[in-house]
Amino acid sequence: MERLRFHIDLHRCVMPLVIVAGCAIAVWLGITMAQFGYGTREIAILVLGMVGLVLVLSPSERILRIGFHIWLLTFGFGWRTLYLTSSLNIHPIEVLGYTLVFLVVLNGILHQTPLDLRLPKLVLLLVGLAFVGMLTGMARGAPFEYVLQEFKSFFILIPIYYLVHWFIHDRRDFERVANLLIVVGTYIAFLGLLDFFLPGLSRSIANDPDVSPVFLAESYAGNTFARVGFVFFGNFTAGFVIFSFFGLTVHHFFRALGKENRQAALFGALIMIQLFGMYLSGFRGLWYAVVGFVLAYGLVRARALILLALGLLVIPFLPENFIRRFLSLFVASEADSSQLGRIERAQSALDAFYQSPIFGIGLSGSGYVHSDLIQIAANLGVFALLTLVAWWSDLLLKAWRLQRRLDWNGDYAAALFATLVGNLIVLAGEGTLAFLQLIAPIWLMCVLAYKLNSLARETESADAR
């Protein structure tokens, strides 16, 4: 695939102005923070605006590539969003993502650089059905901001696909993206550890002295489990973002094992940090997804059974309350109000699906179901659910075939295959579609599976020539 080329020399003249403006903004920021007490949310929004300004004023290939890498880091921003209304917000993933897509397309037009704007048919169909669901929801009287908020979680698939497709050209690019996502996952896991071991410091960083970083979940049998709130990230659900990128860390560990002992030790430590972060999140669906991930990884790489063996060895040392919470899905006496509430929501959404199985009741119609698959069926109908299942099956099949290769493509494909299996469990038992910052990492891993397959085909074509 031909690499994008941008030939804009204007940035040489503009960059000094940008630097001067940046210094002026920094001085202004210091004064206003001291005067008005701005917090991390305002700082994040301002930094994002400055990054966007640089991208617009100096859209060279190098600057856009840096913007792409910064965009990957925004997947760790969590609940640092800008609320337009009480029900409609914009996340930095969207702001930078759409800005980058616009600038790449603009440069392509101005400099007549050919761009591949094709989308996978199933992705296009899924987004199209979501758009129909938005119209259905509005026709049923749902507020526009509600249906738009939910539609954005589907539409973000398009910029994610384009940015990965345009900025990853070879193994070096793919490795760089994987490393950045490992950093994001580890950073979020550290926030959980900070809540658990240093709650006072966590409150200070979050700029909220009244928030409690540690919460107790209690079952009907009286058993409790201490969960951390990831207060700087903004929500318990941080564990789902960690899990989306967890497979990349495991991949690096197995690649270094027996070859580079220092690297193996480093990535082994990162695995433990990320696992502990997911453990502290307290989501049972996430724990089941980790088990599914390990089993799927072991199916394609025998080395992954090391993780299963270590997990079995660790079980006797885990707190009894963790075991009870893990088994609560199968032991009624260990259930809690949250678990029973999810069952009621799922049943209500299924009833809505039975009433309108073809096109659904429209986006936002079923509320927050806590099961993305059931929510899609209820809101968008059976065709949307089948489209998602067909798309996911196609990705799994691509990854399964690719993992047979004895090269870097095959090793990454094994990790992505296991991640896809685990995230399918997440979609079945948890609710990520309601929050763009949770579903976007899942879509990103799906698109990376597409890209890895594309890079492997290009390598085969080059070898054939």
Side-chain angles (χ1 to χ4, degrees):
M1 182 182 299
E2 184 179 356
R3 187 180 293 267
L4 296 177
R5 295 182 176 86
F6 305 105
H7 303 287
I8 295 182
D9 296 324
L10 182 61
H11 75 281
R12 296 181 180 177
C13 301
V14 175
M15 281 307 295
L17 296 177
V18 174
I19 294 173
V20 172
C23 293
I25 291 174
V27 174
W28 170 79
L29 176 62
I31 296 173
T32 52
M33 282 185 64
Q35 185 174 358
F36 299 104
Y38 283 167
T40 53
R41 184 186 302 272
E42 290 78 10
I43 295 174
I45 293 172
L46 182 60
V47 170
L48 189 64
M50 293 175 65
V51 171
L53 181 65
V54 172
L55 290 173
V56 172
L57 293 179
S58 181
S60 66
E61 180 181 4
R62 181 171 177 271
I63 292 297
L64 289 176
R65 185 166 292 277
I66 292 174
F68 171 66
H69 294 151
I70 294 175
W71 172 72
L72 293 172
L73 296 178
T74 64
F75 281 75
F77 276 29
W79 261 247
R80 305 297 166 183
T81 57
L82 175 63
Y83 276 83
L84 302 180
T85 70
S86 60
S87 303
L88 181 64
N89 62 70
I90 299 178
H91 196 274
I93 295 173
E94 298 174 274
V95 177
L96 267 185
Y98 293 127
T99 300
L100 284 169
V101 169
F102 170 76
L103 291 176
V104 172
V105 172
L106 180 62
N107 275 280
I109 294 173
L110 293 176
H111 300 281
Q112 298 181 354
T113 304
L115 289 174
D116 187 357
L117 297 175
R118 293 172 299 175
L119 286 168
K121 292 182 177 63
L122 291 174
V123 170
L124 191 58
L125 180 59
L126 181 62
V127 176
L129 289 171
F131 180 75
V132 173
M134 184 171 70
L135 298 179
T136 303
M138 293 172 60
R140 288 178 176 270
F144 176 71
E145 60 190 46
Y146 288 5
V147 295
L148 180 59
Q149 181 67 30
E150 195 165 328
F151 174 71
K152 292 194 300 103
S153 293
F154 290 94
F155 192 75
I156 194 65
L157 243 173
I158 294 178
I160 289 175
Y161 181 85
Y162 280 146
L163 293 177
V164 168
H165 187 57
W166 292 338
F167 284 100
I168 298 180
H169 303 284
D170 50 33
R171 177 180 180 177
R172 184 177 61 179
D173 292 337
F174 197 96
E175 293 270 14
R176 188 178 291 115
V177 168
N179 291 336
L180 286 172
L181 296 180
I182 291 172
V183 170
V184 171
T186 305
Y187 153 74
I188 297 174
F190 263 121
L191 296 180
L193 270 64
L194 196 65
D195 285 355
F196 190 76
F197 293 108
L198 298 171
L201 179 59
S202 184
R203 279 191 291 265
S204 299
I205 294 176
N207 197 28
D208 189 351
D210 299 322
V211 70
S212 177
V214 181
F215 301 80
L216 291 178
E218 186 172 355
S219 70
Y220 288 122
N223 300 302
T224 60
F225 181 81
R227 308 172 66 188
V228 300
F230 294 86
V231 294
F232 188 73
F233 181 87
N235 198 274
F236 293 100
T237 51
F240 296 110
V241 183
I242 300 172
F243 176 74
S244 288
F245 306 144
F246 176 64
L248 299 173
T249 310
V250 176
H251 159 77
H252 279 282
F253 170 72
F254 285 132
R255 185 173 66 178
L257 192 64
K259 301 175 183 177
E260 298 287 343
N261 292 331
R262 291 183 179 179
Q263 285 191 19
L266 170 63
F267 287 108
L270 297 185
I271 287 173
M272 297 305 298
I273 291 170
Q274 293 174 10
L275 282 173
F276 196 50
M278 290 185 280
Y279 163 82
L280 290 174
S281 72
F283 281 96
R284 285 158 288 205
L286 184 57
W287 299 341
Y288 303 147
V290 171
V291 174
F293 169 89
V294 172
L295 294 176
Y297 214 140
L299 184 63
V300 295
R301 290 292 186 273
R303 278 187 167 190
L305 295 176
I306 296 174
L307 294 177
L308 181 61
L310 290 176
L312 293 175
L313 291 175
V314 169
I315 286 178
F317 300 97
L318 292 173
E320 182 181 354
N321 286 347
F322 165 77
I323 305 299
R324 292 178 179 273
R325 185 170 178 82
F326 186 88
L327 297 176
S328 62
L329 182 65
F330 314 101
V331 181
S333 62
E334 298 297 338
D336 55 30
S337 58
S338 172
Q339 184 175 332
L340 298 181
R342 292 187 183 195
I343 295 174
E344 292 178 1
R345 292 180 183 183
Q347 186 59 56
S348 176
L350 286 174
D351 292 340
F353 169 71
Y354 298 146
Q355 295 174 9
S356 182
I358 305 301
F359 296 107
I361 59 176
L363 291 179
S364 81
S366 61
Y368 186 38
V369 179
H370 257 299
S371 169
D372 292 323
L373 296 184
I374 297 178
Q375 184 167 324
I376 289 173
N379 292 350
L380 303 181
V382 67
F383 292 125
L385 180 62
L386 292 177
T387 299
L388 179 65
V389 171
W391 178 46
W392 214 274
S393 301
D394 179 57
L395 290 173
L396 285 170
L397 184 59
K398 282 182 169 61
W400 174 266
R401 290 173 175 170
L402 193 57
Q403 61 82 25
R404 298 172 181 172
R405 294 171 59 111
L406 302 177
D407 58 5
W408 73 276
N409 299 91
D411 288 338
Y412 267 113
L416 290 175
F417 174 81
T419 300
L420 288 168
V421 171
N423 272 333
L424 187 59
I425 296 174
V426 170
L427 293 179
E430 298 290 347
T432 60
L433 270 172
F435 306 102
L436 184 139
Q437 53 267 45
L438 299 183
I439 193 63
I442 295 177
W443 295 151
L444 177 60
M445 298 310 293
C446 293
V447 173
L448 285 178
Y450 264 125
K451 190 61 185 182
L452 187 66
N453 189 69
S454 176
L455 292 176
R457 290 202 311 268
E458 290 174 14
T459 301
E460 291 176 353
S461 299
D463 292 343
R465 289 195 298 270

